[in-house]
């Protein structure tokens, strides 16, 4: 059959006939995903017979939809081809049909090719928020703006679609997290490059103003710091090893024992004790207190003090007349006893001194022995109701009471006063070029004491931080807070002394330094040598204060420090270039050598985006150089 058809066609051709078109294929050149207005394209119709063989001398008629989307050029050499100049954006459909034999007949053999005409990426503008904005909307971060494009366009905020009205205005609400939030707003028409706007904003449920009357950074917190003094700080229950070299004290009880053992007990004994010659004359020439043991227990209003006196030795001299006989009092006595009192620890106000008051001190002698040169004197001393013995007992009790009342409260008060004054009126000068020199001022005072029976004493410290320069960011809303009243921070540290630092205090320190211009510097001196011949000027501008925030579910550090909307402005080969940078670094807190240690991760996470790109021919090179810098 195939041979018969071929013979028939050959016969027809030999008789002057031509094969009929059976199929047409519309082709556009150049072939691309999308085109720009003003471009000229060539449409060609490839016509085939029933055997798939091309037919060259057939006319193809071309039309365009919409008609205003393209202008047809002059007919070309080929009857199957036609040039068109694109004049409008959007979807354009070209249709090519084999011209019918008769003029009144409609084309029956046609094919189409559709293209997208677009002059570039969508025009995207974000009207709110602005880069570096400080926000507090409880509903989240509301992002608004407008987009313009000839075709269909979609807008996304951090990957979530935004609602777009007929005028191209859009709005979306992104979830807000305490601290720096990074926003990526994109617009896409599905054909051209995506339009993108990136920025960092700061979100917090509350802010505390941080400027004094002169416009300098300053913030006071009633309990910016808290100290936890556990029962072990006062007395860990372990005996003091006086034979060790050197002697190591672990608590206030140990220190009290050493202090009592070195006190001059004789200094509080009157000389003479009794001066009533010739009936009774008594002197104590020397007195010594050995191996006292001290116990201190925290109570609901202070502490209980219990002292086991160890050995008290005293040398005596004098005369005692008994029934006309004068007895020499030369000799020595040894006594052992205990003492008990309750101490009250209080502070009336942050500016007042800490007061340690000792209540009624009860002193009792458990034993009293004497050794004298005269046996008669020893016999008289053994008389419990005798004048000589009762006088010595009263004397020793009074001496011990005076010694304890003067020493132990003073010792505890000195310890608390040292704590109270550790942060008072402190100044720290920071001078590390190219960053500006600034003096950081810290003032911390104990504002409240809260004892808990046999557990601990918690000291809340009113804390003020600030600097000595006028703020460069007076428009800032202040220090970001987790809430209007931050929850109590956890204590950290080992042993009986722990510290709790409010996040607001740490952020106040960072805000003060930022407000003083710490992140507004000439960065040219710190650029690597590889950029010295390419970058003539460089400046760092931190539009947001550094912020410490709690870790999020996927993070393991104690805190995370973020530097957001950190802008790097360069003059790159004579042209301005700007980048935005976000830096996240994990932070861990510790107490080392009685100091609060803040440990930063060695490898922070860095995000970089372009704010003002270089010329297209230099963009790749500039981005590579920036990556090396980071």
């Amino acid at each position: 059959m195939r041979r018969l058809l071929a013979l028939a066609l050959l016969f027809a051709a030999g008789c002057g006939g031509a094969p009929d078109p059976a199929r047409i294929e519309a082709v556009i050149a150049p072939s691309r995903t999308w085109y720009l207005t003003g471009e000229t394209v060539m449409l060609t119709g490839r016509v085939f017979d029933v055997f798939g063989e091309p037919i060259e001398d057939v006319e193809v008629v071309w039309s365009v939809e919409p008609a205003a989307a393209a202008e047809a050029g002059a007919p070309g050499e080929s009857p199957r081809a036609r040039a068109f100049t694109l004049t409008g954006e959007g979807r354009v459909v070209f249709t090519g049909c084999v011209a019918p034999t008769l003029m009144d007949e409609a084309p029956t053999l046609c094919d189409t090719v559709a293209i997208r005409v677009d002059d570039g990426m969508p025009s995207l503008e974000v009207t709110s928020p602005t880069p570096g904005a400080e926000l507090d909307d409880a509903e989240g971060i509301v992002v608004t703006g407008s987009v313009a494009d000839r075709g269909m366009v979609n807008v996304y905020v951090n990957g979530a679609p935004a609602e777009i009205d007929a005028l191209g205005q859009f709005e979306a609400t992104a979830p807000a997290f305490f601290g720096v939030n990074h926003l990526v707003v994109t617009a896409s028409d599905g054909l051209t490059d995506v339009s993108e706007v990136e920025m960092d904003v700061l979100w917090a449920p509350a802010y505390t103003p941080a400027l004094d009357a002169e416009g300098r950074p300053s913030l006071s917190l009633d309990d910016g710091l808290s100290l936890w003094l556990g029962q072990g700080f006062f007395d860990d229950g372990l005996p003091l090893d006086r034979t060790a070299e050197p002697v190591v004290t672990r608590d206030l009880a140990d220190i009290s024992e050493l202090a009592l053992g070195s006190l001059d007990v004789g200094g509080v004994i009157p000389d003479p004790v009794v001066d009533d010659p010739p009936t009774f004359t008594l002197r104590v020439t020397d007195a010594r207190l050995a191996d006292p043991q001290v116990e201190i227990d925290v109570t609901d209003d202070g502490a209980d003090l219990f002292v086991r006196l160890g050995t008290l030795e005293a040398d005596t001299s004098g005369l005692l007349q008994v029934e006309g006989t004068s007895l020499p009092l030369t000799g020595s006595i040894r006594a052992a006893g205990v003492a008990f009192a309750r101490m009250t620890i209080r502070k009336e106000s942050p500016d007042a001194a800490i007061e340690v008051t000792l209540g009624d001190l009860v002193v009792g002698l458990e034993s009293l022995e004497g050794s004298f040169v005269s046996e008669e004197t020893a016999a008289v001393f053994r008389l419990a109701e005798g004048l000589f013995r009762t006088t010595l007992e009263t004397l020793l009790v009074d001496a011990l009471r005076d010694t304890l009342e003067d020493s132990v409260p003073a010792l505890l008060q000195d310890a608390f006063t040292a704590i109270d004054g550790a942060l008072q009126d402190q100044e720290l000068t920071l001078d590390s070029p190219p960053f500006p020199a600034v003096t950081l001022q810290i003032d911390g005072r104990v504002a409240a004491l809260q004892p808990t029976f046999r557990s601990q004493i918690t000291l809340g410290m009113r804390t003020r931080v600030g600097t000595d320069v006028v703020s460069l960011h007076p428009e800032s809303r202040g220090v970001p807070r987790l809430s209007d009243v931050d929850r109590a921070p956890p204590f950290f540290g080992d042993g009986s002394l722990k510290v709790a630092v409010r996040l607001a205090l740490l952020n106040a320190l960072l805000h003060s330094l930022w407000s003083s211009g710490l992140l507004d510097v000439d960065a040219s001196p710190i650029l690597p040598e590889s950029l010295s011949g390419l970058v003539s000027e460089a400046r760092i501008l931190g539009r947001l204060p550094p912020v410490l925030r709690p870790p999020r579910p996927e993070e393991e550090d104690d805190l995370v420090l973020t530097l957001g909307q950190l802008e790097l402005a360069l003059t790159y080969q004579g042209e301005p270039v700007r980048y935005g940078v976000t830096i996240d670094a994990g932070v861990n807190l510790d107490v080392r050598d009685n100091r609060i240690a803040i440990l930063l991760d060695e490898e922070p996470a860095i995000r970089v985006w372009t704010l003002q790109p270089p010329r297209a021919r230099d963009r790749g090179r500039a981005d590579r150089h920036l990556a090396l810098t980071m």
Side-chain angles (χ1 to χ4, degrees), residues 305-309 337-341 361-364 400-401 404:
L305 172 68
F306 181 82
V307 181
R308 186 169 297 278
L309 298 175
V338 294
F340 172 81
L361 182 66
V362 179
V363 180
L400 289 172
R401 180 181 291 110
L404 294 174

Side-chain angles (χ1 to χ4, degrees), residues 585-614:
V587 176
N588 292 289
L589 303 179
D590 197 2
V591 177
R592 296 184 177 182
D593 300 327
N594 297 323
R595 297 182 180 182
I596 300 174
I598 301 178
L599 309 176
L600 287 174
D601 284 349
E602 295 182 359
E603 296 184 2
I606 300 176
R607 179 192 293 112
V608 181
W609 67 96
T610 303
L611 296 173
Q612 182 178 356

Side-chain angles (χ1 to χ4, degrees), residues 20 52 123 132 145 206 251-253 291 307 334 350 390 395 449 460 518 578:
D20 292 331
S123 175
D251 51 39
L252 289 180
D291 299 333
V307 181
R334 292 170 58 89
T390 56
L395 169 69
L449 295 94
L518 192 66
R578 288 174 57 239

